[in-house]
Amino acid sequence: MKRFPLKKVSLILLLINSFLFANPAADSLLLAGLNFSYSFELEKAADSFNSFITKNSKDPRGYHYLSNLHLWKYMGSKNELEYNHFMRLSDKALYLAEIELDENDESIEANYILGQIKSLRAVAFSTNNKALDAFWASKSSIGYFEDVLSINQNYYDAYLGLGMFSYALSFVPGVFNWALVLTGISGDKEEGLEYLTIAYEKGDKAKTEAAFHLGKIYTEYIADYKRAEGYLLPLTKKYQKNIMFLYQYAILKIRQRELSEAEKVLDKIIELNIPSFQQITAFCYFLKGDINYKLNDFEKALVNYEQFIMHATQVDYTGIANYRMAICSGMLGDKLNFQRHLVLAKSGNLDLPEDEYASEKSNELFDSGINEEIKIILKGSNLVESGKYDGAIKFFEENTNKISSNKQLGIRELKLAESYFEIGDFNKAIKFGKKALSREFEKEEWVYPFSAFTIAEAYLIQKNIPEAKKYLKIAEKNNDFEHKVILESRINYLKKKLDLN
């Protein structure tokens, strides 16, 4: 059974915080602590929250904000002590908030902080594979936020939590339908996006968190990179030590194929070297490896993938890292390490699509090896991934006669279609995309929907809307192979442009 899906999106929910101040002057310690939290000065943040608790021992907010710091640390390190600290403080916050609500069930403050407390508990439970507990906590959190809006429909900050749950729950696969039916909750991507936008545009204190979540969604699920940058760039400038904001911005830069800029951001996170966030540091090395890989610098890629495995606190993504290390070794002619890493590629977390893919592909590659055709396709594809479109076109043209297998020719034609699209030659993009579509694939079936999508993009630019819709439908219908999530985000973006949602 696949892992409970909220774990995969738990970082989306992780930054949800309450910014409720009935009396800003009296609550200056909370405000200071929250500002320190955003700036990732976590010890100073903890000091502020502890000082608040000392002076306001029956106020749930201090315990809640302090618990959130420990949940951050747990997510960044997988240290069970941090999880235990979180639960102890969260239990205390929950107890005190429920007392407040019992005294006045129309209290916006009590309902709102309870919504926040329950949201963090949903993240914690999902991370610890307590699926049903996570669903019940999600339902409870949603209920409290809805109660806030029933008391005051203009309390727009409540839309932050509602938006995140609505969006996150839309990713729950069919295997968990029983839990959705049991708890009576559901997700809706469009509704979630609408709520988050309301929180960002009209909320009083929710703007920062809403910006982060919108930036992540527009990067990873809608592929609207320009809009994502509008949300994320100001955050990285204002909070220059917030590694979560920086990390998300680095992902955006990689998606935009601005690899040198992405590497600078990743180096900054590594240099900050925050001990409680070892896993994020590890992922930075992984992404640096990907950048080197896309630049055809396989020696540097090997070094960074190795650093990822050394720093990782869990097996997640070690399968795909070893698979790419195998390819790097093969490209460098190191047959022994090529085979060694292919064997290790089977030992990742097979609940993750990336590690499952690595395990399956390692068997195929172990038998076939990396021949000259594969090397040409890989180098040319990497030129496209690094934004060197003219170079990719020239490289593929120079090596045309060295490629003969059907699947490698299909990849070549797709990459030429993508390159021509990026340099503005849309007729050639359509031409090569259709060539790729005409091939039959026993393997590398992902080429088919990607080719259809590129054709749809080109037709849209040419304002041939019927053909754009036709090929987008083909892409969406056949998007059930490798790289599915990446293409799905791009399909979502084009559907919005074609008003097909």
Side-chain angles (χ1 to χ4, degrees):
M1 182 179 290
K2 296 296 182 185
R3 177 175 295 174
F4 175 55
L6 275 186
K7 178 171 183 180
K8 189 171 183 180
V9 295
S10 57
L11 279 176
I12 297 178
L13 293 167
L14 187 56
L15 287 175
I16 294 178
N17 251 315
S18 166
F19 281 92
L20 185 62
F21 298 104
N23 185 337
D27 294 336
S28 59
L29 284 171
L30 286 183
L31 183 58
L34 290 165
N35 285 331
F36 284 134
S37 298
Y38 276 135
S39 298
F40 257 65
E41 298 181 72
L42 302 186
E43 296 306 317
K44 290 182 179 179
D47 288 343
S48 294
F49 296 143
N50 278 316
S51 295
F52 179 86
I53 290 170
T54 299
K55 297 177 181 179
N56 306 273
S57 61
K58 295 185 179 181
D59 191 318
R61 293 174 297 169
Y63 301 98
H64 168 66
Y65 300 134
L66 188 57
S67 78
N68 195 36
L69 296 183
H70 289 287
L71 184 55
W72 285 11
K73 291 178 180 180
Y74 173 67
M75 295 291 289
S77 67
K78 297 302 176 184
N79 185 332
E80 287 296 325
L81 288 176
E82 296 293 350
Y83 180 83
N84 293 335
H85 283 315
F86 163 76
M87 288 305 302
R88 177 177 56 82
L89 290 163
S90 181
D91 286 344
K92 181 70 170 181
L94 182 62
Y95 171 74
L96 293 172
E98 287 177 340
I99 290 176
E100 286 190 4
L101 191 65
D102 287 341
E103 293 175 352
N104 179 11
D105 62 4
E106 292 292 308
S107 168
I108 291 179
E109 293 85 351
N111 279 286
Y112 191 62
I113 193 67
L114 278 165
Q116 297 295 333
I117 291 168
K118 289 288 188 175
S119 69
L120 291 189
R121 292 171 78 90
V123 172
F125 292 142
S126 65
T127 304
N128 256 14
N129 298 320
K130 298 179 180 179
L132 190 55
D133 288 338
F135 276 112
W136 282 118
S138 301
K139 177 182 175 64
S140 183
S141 180
I142 291 167
Y144 286 122
F145 289 132
E146 288 177 340
D147 286 345
V148 169
L149 290 172
S150 70
I151 298 167
N152 181 357
Q153 63 181 355
N154 295 325
Y155 199 91
Y156 298 113
D157 287 339
Y159 282 103
L160 174 64
L162 288 176
M164 283 321 307
F165 277 113
S166 189
Y167 206 90
L169 289 170
S170 69
F171 289 93
V172 175
V175 70
F176 287 105
N177 279 345
W178 62 270
L180 294 177
V181 172
L182 181 63
T183 55
I185 56 177
S186 62
D188 185 306
K189 291 183 180 68
E190 290 301 316
E191 180 182 74
L193 193 61
E194 179 186 354
Y195 286 168
L196 284 169
T197 303
I198 290 173
Y200 176 77
E201 293 178 349
K202 297 183 178 181
D204 182 27
K205 301 294 191 295
K207 191 177 183 72
T208 297
E209 278 135 356
F212 170 75
H213 300 312
L214 287 166
K216 183 177 179 66
I217 289 169
Y218 277 110
T219 298
E220 299 183 22
Y221 303 112
I222 302 178
D224 188 340
Y225 302 138
K226 183 177 180 180
R227 186 169 293 187
E229 181 143 17
Y231 291 117
L232 293 174
L233 181 58
L235 293 181
T236 63
K237 289 184 175 180
K238 185 174 182 180
Y239 303 105
Q240 297 183 22
K241 294 183 180 180
N242 189 311
I243 61 175
M244 291 184 181
F245 295 164
L246 291 169
Y247 185 77
Q248 190 60 47
Y249 189 64
I251 291 174
L252 171 63
K253 291 290 103 178
I254 291 173
R255 293 287 183 94
Q256 290 176 310
R257 294 173 175 168
E258 298 177 21
L259 301 186
S260 61
E261 185 63 28
E263 190 167 26
K264 290 177 185 177
V265 178
L266 294 169
D267 285 337
K268 183 175 182 178
I269 298 173
I270 292 170
E271 186 179 348
L272 287 169
N273 192 29
I274 301 176
S276 298
F277 293 85
Q278 298 172 18
Q279 191 63 26
I280 291 180
T281 301
F283 284 140
C284 287
Y285 282 114
F286 181 91
L287 293 181
K288 278 172 64 70
D290 277 357
I291 288 171
N292 298 140
Y293 182 92
K294 291 174 181 181
L295 293 172
N296 289 319
D297 191 341
F298 302 112
E299 290 183 358
K300 282 188 179 179
L302 279 168
V303 171
N304 280 302
Y305 287 135
E306 188 65 43
Q307 286 293 315
F308 161 68
I309 292 171
M310 287 174 59
H311 284 81
T313 59
Q314 56 197 58
V315 299
D316 294 5
Y317 303 102
T318 56
I320 190 65
N322 272 294
Y323 177 70
R324 289 176 186 162
M325 291 174 80
I327 294 177
C328 290
S329 299
M331 295 296 287
L332 295 169
D334 186 346
K335 186 175 180 179
L336 180 62
N337 279 311
F338 168 70
Q339 294 179 333
R340 181 172 72 88
H341 285 298
L342 285 179
V343 172
L344 291 172
K346 304 175 189 294
S347 60
N349 180 358
L350 298 184
D351 284 339
L352 295 175
E354 293 85 352
D355 282 351
E356 183 182 28
Y357 167 81
S359 180
E360 292 174 356
K361 296 294 286 187
S362 65
N363 290 325
E364 177 187 330
L365 206 57
F366 196 93
D367 294 333
S368 66
I370 296 182
N371 58 31
E372 191 62 28
E373 281 193 0
I374 293 175
K375 289 182 178 180
I376 291 170
I377 292 298
L378 181 62
K379 287 180 178 179
S381 298
N382 281 342
L383 287 170
V384 178
E385 289 300 315
S386 60
K388 300 173 182 176
Y389 306 114
D390 288 319
I393 292 169
K394 181 180 179 182
F395 179 81
F396 279 127
E397 287 176 346
E398 290 174 347
N399 291 278
T400 298
N401 296 330
K402 298 178 182 178
I403 303 172
S404 59
S405 72
N406 199 52
K407 67 179 182 180
Q408 303 302 348
L409 283 169
I411 297 174
R412 169 188 175 273
E413 287 155 357
L414 166 61
K415 294 304 174 182
L416 281 169
E418 292 178 347
S419 297
Y420 279 117
F421 175 84
E422 293 294 342
I423 66 172
D425 192 335
F426 305 116
N427 288 328
K428 283 190 177 179
I430 293 168
K431 171 187 171 182
F432 280 102
K434 288 184 175 180
K435 278 189 175 182
L437 275 186
S438 69
R439 297 189 180 276
E440 294 183 4
F441 296 96
E442 293 181 5
K443 296 178 180 178
E444 310 295 351
E445 294 96 335
W446 61 272
V447 173
Y448 191 86
F450 271 84
S451 299
F453 176 82
T454 303
I455 295 168
E457 279 189 307
Y459 274 131
L460 177 59
I461 295 294
Q462 293 182 336
K463 301 187 185 306
N464 189 336
I465 304 304
E467 288 297 291
K469 290 181 177 179
K470 171 186 171 182
Y471 282 96
L472 184 61
K473 185 176 181 180
I474 292 171
E476 186 172 27
K477 181 180 178 181
N478 291 278
N479 186 30
D480 198 29
F481 304 102
E482 294 107 81
H483 320 300
K484 177 180 178 179
V485 174
I486 294 288
L487 183 56
E488 184 177 12
S489 69
R490 297 171 68 185
I491 288 171
N492 289 338
Y493 176 63
L494 213 59
K495 286 174 71 175
K496 283 185 174 295
K497 295 190 75 171
L498 286 166
D499 196 24
L500 293 176
N501 286 307

